[in-house]
């Protein structure tokens, strides 16, 4: 499991965009929390932090922190 901080999210549309971006990665599943401005990514195979960051940033959101749990 990986936790991303995405402070630029301000609305449910932002949540939808970040969720969709992460869920497009094969094997990844996102649980995005607008109030905490974070995304928790679960996966069933190895996925690099760079791949997750790139997917979110391609939607126009900056990832300020990535932590593995």
């Amino acid at each position: 499991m990986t936790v991303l901080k995405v402070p630029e999210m301000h609305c449910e549309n932002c949540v939808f965009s970040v969720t969709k971006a992460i869920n497009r990665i094969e094997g990844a599943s996102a649980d995005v929390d607008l109030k905490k401005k974070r995304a928790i990514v679960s996966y069933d195979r190895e996925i690099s932090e760079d791949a997750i960051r790139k997917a979110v940033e391609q939607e126009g959101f900056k990832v300020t922190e990535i932590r593995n749990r």
Side-chain angles (χ1 to χ4, degrees), residues 3-4 9-10 14 17 21 30 37-38 45 50-51 58 62-63 66 69:
V3 180
L4 310 174
M9 292 190 301
H10 300 290
C14 296
S17 295
K37 299 194 183 287
R38 74 175 184 194
R45 63 194 67 174
D50 286 340
Q58 284 179 337
K62 183 174 177 140
V63 176
I66 298 179
R69 284 191 168 174

Side-chain angles (χ1 to χ4, degrees), residues 2-64:
T2 300
V3 180
L4 310 174
K5 287 286 190 181
V6 189
E8 296 174 347
M9 292 190 301
H10 300 290
C11 64
E12 287 302 320
N13 190 44
C14 296
V15 170
F16 176 76
S17 295
V18 171
T19 301
K20 189 171 90 171
I22 294 169
N23 288 347
R24 266 192 243 128
I25 301 169
E26 189 173 334
S29 176
D31 179 15
V32 181
D33 186 324
L34 178 60
K35 190 173 183 179
K36 294 182 180 178
K37 299 194 183 287
R38 74 175 184 194
I40 299 174
V41 184
S42 303
Y43 34 86
D44 63 7
R45 63 194 67 174
E46 189 172 329
I47 300 172
S48 74
E49 289 180 0
D50 286 340
I52 298 169
R53 179 188 300 271
K54 184 176 179 181
V56 173
E57 290 184 348
Q58 284 179 337
E59 291 296 317
F61 298 93
K62 183 174 177 140
V63 176
T64 60

